[in-house]
Amino acid sequence: MTTTRIAVTAGEPRAHVELAVGALAPRLISRDGSRAHVAVAAAGMVLLGGDHVHVAVDVGAGCTLHIQDVGGTVAYPGASSSWNLDVNIGAGGTLLWDGLPFVVADGADVERRSLLTLEPEARAVIRETLVLGRYGEQGGRLISALRADDDSGPILIEQLEVDGSTPEPGVLGSNRVIDAVTAVGFRPPARPTDLAFDRPGAMARHLSDHTHGSPLDRVWEAWATYATSRTLSHQRVVAPLPGQAIAAKERNIVDIPH
């Protein structure tokens, strides 16, 4: 397994950007002294049965890294495969990850895990769209886990387990698409229907049977813009709705109080 690596550190006149090709091929789009915009696409057929993808991302102190998925991913039928993302965000750094659909085809068996570690005043906005099946398919088996920690402990721990061949009430039901925008390390301008975490962060989620027309496009743009504002203030708080800070159990959102 070869690791795809994306790292940015501040510099003059331009930030230093380190890119290493693994299963994904990162390409530099633009940069200035503390910001970098990187596009990622598959370097080959990904994910084939038995593939194990690892992506490591390091955002230096005070830097902003925008990673834009330009190809999406299909997990193909075959032996179990995995997709692991490890992210470290330095003090005052910001990560924006704008992901395209991750499609789990019939007969695929994939485990997808993302770990974000935030230093003080760091923040991140992540867009994930998970799709069970290609056109005309029900989709295979997927475990998708997301964890975000800072120096005080967990901000969010979430794990979703689904199998398109055996849909479960209370998980996705008849839906085959789960679209989500997650913000950690700050309070985004959340809508009343979004989940505000007990600690700084929130999640917007949309379930559907198709990928087009998601209302989360505007949420992504608003939260990403707010995250990169240099005037970001932790005093601007969107209060949780009653019951939103209660941890949900069994394949749902688990928000760990401070």
Side-chain angles (χ1 to χ4, degrees):
M1 176 178 63
T2 303
T3 296
T4 299
R5 178 171 168 76
I6 304 171
V8 57
T9 53
E12 290 295 342
R14 293 176 303 210
H16 175 70
V17 180
E18 178 186 346
L19 304 175
V21 176
L24 302 183
R27 295 290 183 265
L28 180 63
I29 302 300
S30 64
R31 59 177 166 167
D32 61 18
S34 61
R35 297 171 181 251
H37 182 186
V38 173
V40 293
M45 290 286 288
V46 177
L47 287 164
L48 299 177
D51 281 353
H52 300 285
V53 172
H54 182 238
V55 182
V57 176
D58 286 289
V59 183
C63 292
T64 296
L65 174 61
H66 179 188
I67 299 177
Q68 185 172 10
D69 186 350
V70 296
T73 302
V74 176
Y76 293 96
S80 61
S81 56
S82 64
W83 176 288
N84 290 286
L85 172 65
D86 290 308
V87 175
N88 289 286
I89 308 174
T94 302
L95 172 68
L96 308 176
W97 186 298
D98 188 6
L100 288 179
F102 187 97
V103 181
V104 182
D106 280 0
D109 182 0
V110 61
E111 186 170 335
R112 175 186 168 103
R113 296 192 177 274
S114 300
L115 173 63
L116 283 68
T117 303
L118 286 68
E119 294 186 15
E121 302 299 316
R123 45 200 176 268
V125 183
I126 308 293
R127 176 81 178 266
E128 289 186 314
T129 306
L130 306 176
V131 182
L132 289 178
R134 295 169 290 188
Y135 181 77
E137 295 183 338
Q138 292 181 304
R141 178 176 177 270
L142 169 68
I143 297 175
S144 180
L146 172 63
R147 175 169 180 149
D149 295 341
D150 64 11
D151 55 354
S152 297
I155 302 171
L156 170 70
I157 301 174
E158 179 189 49
Q159 180 161 307
L160 173 73
E161 298 183 33
V162 292
D163 189 331
S165 63
T166 55
E168 296 183 51
V171 183
L172 295 185
S174 61
N175 298 290
R176 52 185 288 268
V177 177
I178 178 169
D179 193 12
V181 178
T182 304
V184 290
F186 70 105
R187 294 285 186 194
R191 307 167 302 173
T193 54
D194 297 332
L195 176 70
F197 302 154
D198 182 63
R199 300 185 57 210
M203 177 182 289
R205 177 162 281 170
H206 176 68
L207 299 180
S208 180
D209 60 358
H210 53 268
T211 57
H212 60 276
S214 171
L216 298 193
D217 290 346
R218 286 177 292 177
V219 173
W220 160 261
E221 292 172 1
W223 291 14
T225 298
Y226 191 67
T228 54
S229 170
R230 295 298 95 183
T231 60
L232 183 68
S233 171
H234 289 281
Q235 299 304 312
R236 180 177 175 182
V237 174
V238 178
L241 292 174
Q244 277 191 326
I246 300 174
K249 297 180 181 179
E250 297 183 354
R251 304 191 183 103
N252 212 326
I253 297 168
V254 181
D255 181 38
I256 305 299
H258 182 54

